[in-house]
Amino acid sequence: MKRFVLGIVIFLMCAGGATGQSIPVSQDTESCIECHASLHPGIVAEWKKSRHALITPEEALKRSSLERRISVEKVPEKLAKNKVGCAECHTLNPESHKDTFEHNNYRVHSVVTPQDCATCHASEVGEYGKNLMAHAYANLVENPVYQDLAGAINGVQSFSKMKTTLNAPDERTSADSCLYCHGTKVQVIGMRKVNTDAGEMEIPVLSGWPNQGVGRLNPDGSKGSCAACHTRHQFSIKMARKPYTCAQCHKGPDVPAYAVYKVSKHGNIYSALEKEWDFTAVPWRVGKDFTAPTCATCHVSLLINDTGDIVVKRTHEMNNRLPWRIFGLIYAHPHPKSPSTFLIKNKAGLSLPTELTGEPVAEFLIDEKEQDRRLQNLKKVCLSCHGSGWVNGHFSLFENTIRTTNEMTLTATKIILSAWDEGVASGLAQKDSIFNEAIEKKWVEQWLFYANSTRFASAMAGADYGAFANGRWYLSKNIQEMLDVIGCKGKRRE
Amino acid sequence: MKRFVLGIVIFLMCAGGATGQSIPVSQDTESCIECHASLHPGIVAEWKKSRHALITPEEALKRSSLERRISVEKVPEKLAKNKVGCAECHTLNPESHKDTFEHNNYRVHSVVTPQDCATCHASEVGEYGKNLMAHAYANLVENPVYQDLAGAINGVQSFSKMKTTLNAPDERTSADSCLYCHGTKVQVIGMRKVNTDAGEMEIPVLSGWPNQGVGRLNPDGSKGSCAACHTRHQFSIKMARKPYTCAQCHKGPDVPAYAVYKVSKHGNIYSALEKEWDFTAVPWRVGKDFTAPTCATCHVSLLINDTGDIVVKRTHEMNNRLPWRIFGLIYAHPHPKSPSTFLIKNKAGLSLPTELTGEPVAEFLIDEKEQDRRLQNLKKVCLSCHGSGWVNGHFSLFENTIRTTNEMTLTATKIILSAWDEGVASGLAQKDSIFNEAIEKKWVEQWLFYANSTRFASAMAGADYGAFANGRWYLSKNIQEMLDVIGCKGKRRE
Amino acid sequence: MKRFVLGIVIFLMCAGGATGQSIPVSQDTESCIECHASLHPGIVAEWKKSRHALITPEEALKRSSLERRISVEKVPEKLAKNKVGCAECHTLNPESHKDTFEHNNYRVHSVVTPQDCATCHASEVGEYGKNLMAHAYANLVENPVYQDLAGAINGVQSFSKMKTTLNAPDERTSADSCLYCHGTKVQVIGMRKVNTDAGEMEIPVLSGWPNQGVGRLNPDGSKGSCAACHTRHQFSIKMARKPYTCAQCHKGPDVPAYAVYKVSKHGNIYSALEKEWDFTAVPWRVGKDFTAPTCATCHVSLLINDTGDIVVKRTHEMNNRLPWRIFGLIYAHPHPKSPSTFLIKNKAGLSLPTELTGEPVAEFLIDEKEQDRRLQNLKKVCLSCHGSGWVNGHFSLFENTIRTTNEMTLTATKIILSAWDEGVASGLAQKDSIFNEAIEKKWVEQWLFYANSTRFASAMAGADYGAFANGRWYLSKNIQEMLDVIGCKGKRRE
């Protein structure tokens, strides 16, 4: 009986995950842990559960190319034979890190960056850099149209003599609002002294910190934060593959991807059955490891079929499977060629990928051929579980929805243009903000919330968001309400 | 030790579910799988996990009547002794299927219908046909009031000379919006050629496809799609019993059942503890298999108590436990007698179960006695876990809420009637749409969103939806806003 | 092989939880179960899964102080040696229970109260009594400002001659709305006769029942309902620690804590990985038992680190870790000193913790020193997993958000004060309700929904609720819409 119980214990240890106790740890990391295990027990405990603590890069490199999670062919000698621990990441590239500081004879930095991660995950970092997301800071902060919008949202308004004055938003408000997801600019702005058990220490004070936005500007000049999706310090692939990670930024009315997914058939299958799926398998086997896609399945992951053939390759350039850009702009349009969208200028001189009246600024956008290439890429995932008639029918609905939602936005735009013409509101001609008055904000909701929700609902088959939940109901109601505002305010001027 | 490991393996195989490898597969299905396993690996892998692949109808029929999931007494010989595979369903009833096509010497159809499923599940299909849901297509498309509403939501509006024009919605928009849940009309509209590894093939082109709406009109003349709730191709009872399935269509502001459930005590228990429940047990044992109801528990499932007595019988006629109809119409009212609600006419000639001012159109609605019968049916479920004082108190709150929300809707209706009278909006007298103007849309929200959410919150004890989340807060605010619109617009005309 | 199977069974029994069959049950409880197991099988089955059925108080008291869940040093002899069953709770303190009734020779009451629970859990009940929540009934019902607000929400409005009349809400509507969470007043209002298998019985009729609101007034004079969070009859600590329990009342637009948590990084980690956590461990070990906080982690639970040192002590006085009160009132302000907030009066004579223009009513609120003590308490939890730079940065953003949202509320308040001055609406000076007109309701949304959501988003890092989901977008838009209403209605009066 003893042997049996021992057997169970051994069995459970093997099945439940190795404890990583036999993997070597560097001397450097051991000296970090010595203090930090009691200072921040959660961080150390989490890391111990991570793959970084359970395999050395050298062993990881021995896996077959499909199973491998490291994308470089060779890892620096110093890092290869130990767990990837505190010191391995937080002392990398000290020269390029402006946040490097002396700490118990180590040159340490707090902000681990994509450039650091690229030591082992170079392809992923390279691909990711081609996404709009990696450039999300400049795309917001360097684009005058978005700055006008962000100011109108985040600025404090004061009131006096029946008028409001809009003040520019302060830095911390921006960090707490748009830049929470877009990423802040993290800079060393001084040093502070801390009393510790080991005596007084001097550590850098960072502005824009904490932040893990997708386009964060880092103290080493790199862009983004891998931790936005690969959450520190467990770096769980299970977590990155589940939809909650994307939901951190893609759930609100401006980009309701997760909300739509939840009520879609795919989301239903996920919610009901995901407990039985394997979220750690690499490569990821369609039908066996999972029976419905998550965000990662369609947009990122390496998928294989039952016989081991590749369905789609892994990509961290999510654009790669996206022909259309359906949110965040006034009209849905073909994806921009360059991820630096703030460089786009339309004929009217605005940093927008379409004219105000919807015509695409073609020179900055991918052409139909490239759109089709990306669509075919995406369809490979669909076809794993659906016939071609089904898939074609689905995309036919979606492209029709792109057209009609653009038309409904055009109608709202014509109303706002009339409002400016008639003097009911002040816009471009008056050199006033185009986002600060009530009717202008209704116009924004037409495209930023309603057209957009309707398109997500269509793209991912979450019907309610195309009907009543911020969908067509509001798209049609909003136009009538804009008319009422003009009627009411226009009358007042007579 | 070897014996031990073998033991573990055997144990896990038994516990984890049979693999179904010893169950016979028909020759026909095997030839489907030959190609489709690599073409659509997800479908085949899912099906392999389904009960259909793990037991033959013949074996299934041997179960006791309480445990049985097949409701016919006898299954056609041809089907009885094999797994229920691709060919078994997709080649059934070829004569009645207008979508039947020749495919490698088989007469195949893509759209498996309730009539096909009835081969083994006749009672369920029969009961389901008595629900409003089975008739959801005609109830929407044949009812002029709803067509007016759907047109006002889904039609593209254009703008010119300070006026909007509402265009009729195109077919694909309707399919992507209301009909996504209600069901489309699926028809063969031609054939297309596909190049495959096995040469060129001709397959039908279907309009209204893909769709799995609850009232879908099928190419064989039947109504509905069992896959709306019993998701292909795993057909998991676990999934049908979890609330995410109902949430596909019952979550938006027009019918927030799932949203309310989530924040109710029942939903809380479900979310926290459901991992420990048995969602596959048939019959379903109160308290043992689960400790709080899901949608299916109250409205569909066969429940037994600890000693094996039946608490309630299974029914796919969900009306059976529903005395009131609390959403989708202007006023809450007793359930309609016939599921074909488009046939109802009120005194004013509108296809509505009440007058505009709320009086029920009694001849088309169930009487108090039938309401009470259904309520007692529903209460049987409640009484499994609650005392009679609790249950009576609960329904007393609910019936009071039906009354007050109807009153608040009547107030909004009187305002809209005044608006039409005063010429502030154009309605029935002017033969104009009653849903196309801003103030009319506010009136719709009064009943379609707010009265309705308040009632669901009361019915299922999810308090926030009766207070601030689309509940009484909005019900009361909306009336004041309607008044303001009349005031503002009325003034303009003076 | 037999021995092996037996071993598995024994192993699973030990691992899966004791069945409690060997724990003694009182004669009294056995006679309850005799009938009620078949009358209400769900209740009995749930209770059997509870800790109350799996250990006697006497055994529970032998645990070390960190592991112990009973907070008294001694349990009454009569209760110590049996399971805590039906009779143990439902016959406690019969003298003080006005709902006590004779039932098969027992003096039974339906409504088990905090005073009953205090027999074993005295500290928790004592601490809980110091929370605002325990006083949630009087804080609402005895505060004239809130009564004005509740009346404007819950009262039925009628319409005649282009005017609305607001009627006082009936008792059942209040119970179904605000008091669902705040708690009702439960009173015996008569007796009713019930026919049972054991003959006719007489049992009390309770008003305000069912209810499990946090501030319920009980028939024994005590306040609150432990079952609000410790759900009957499983009383699962797992459930109380999961966020769904708090979500029952803290999810709507007036207090979107759970909604914000869901899209925060913490919520993401919880959703993706909670299946691997230990929700029953007492004490709760940071990093080992869980890797991200739930509501309970930060606000209630006893936490220890890896070496067994206490991080924070358990408290059922949640105020203890809360320096600011960020919802439910016009401005965020330091926490009130006394939980009986209806006793607060500002200079204008209103029961509000600030003036209408935002200045705190200092004498009723905690001072900066106490605020700091509570903040340091809370930070202890944060520092388990985050460095001090991170934690300081986080709270710097939060305190800035408190300031800016208060400023945006002040702007809205100045507009409403102007509206009252200009006669566009009727307010304090006119002795009219300050919550019944459309523009007043917009003002309420400014603080009750938008300022508040923005603060929760900042406090718990759920970005969307600080930007587009009821956050700064609406905070800024609402001010412009209030201006438009004044413009439109003001014009009408000219």
Side-chain angles (χ1 to χ4, degrees), chain A residues 265 276 390 411 464 473 488, chain B residues 157 231-232 238 252 445 488:
Chain A
K265 182 60 95 180
E276 298 159 15
W390 182 290
T411 298
D464 238 335
W473 170 260
C488 180
Chain B
Q157 297 175 45
T231 303
R232 293 168 309 162
K238 186 186 292 186
E445 291 182 340
C488 180

Side-chain angles (χ1 to χ4, degrees), chain C residues 23 49 182 185 187 195 240 255 284 327 345 360 371 401 463:
Chain C
I23 323 287
K49 294 175 178 172
H182 279 252
K185 185 169 186 173
Q187 286 179 295
N195 284 313
V255 42
W284 218 9
F327 75 96
K345 285 271 177 304
Q371 281 196 291
T401 297

Side-chain angles (χ1 to χ4, degrees), chain B residues 227-305:
Chain B
C229 306
H230 298 280
T231 303
R232 293 168 309 162
H233 280 94
Q234 195 164 340
F235 309 103
S236 158
I237 192 174
K238 186 186 292 186
M239 197 174 151
R241 282 175 167 179
K242 291 192 176 183
Y244 318 111
T245 286
C246 305
Q248 290 182 156
C249 294
H250 294 248
K251 173 167 185 291
D254 55 318
V255 42
Y258 174 72
V260 167
Y261 177 74
K262 280 270 289 182
V263 297
S264 73
K265 181 61 95 180
H266 289 159
N268 173 12
I269 301 174
Y270 168 82
S271 297
L273 303 178
E274 60 101 2
K275 278 191 286 293
E276 299 159 15
W277 297 355
D278 184 347
F279 282 93
T280 54
V282 173
W284 217 9
R285 198 176 287 251
V286 173
K288 278 260 166 86
D289 294 331
F290 59 91
T291 54
T294 66
C295 317
T297 315
C298 295
H299 299 298
V300 183
S301 300
L302 163 66
L303 307 181
I304 60 167
N305 69 15

Side-chain angles (χ1 to χ4, degrees), chain C residues 434-446:
Chain C
I434 62 174
F435 301 120
N436 62 342
E437 294 172 69
I439 191 172
E440 291 164 342
K441 289 172 191 288
K442 283 190 152 304
W443 170 62
V444 172
E445 291 182 339
Q446 186 77 357

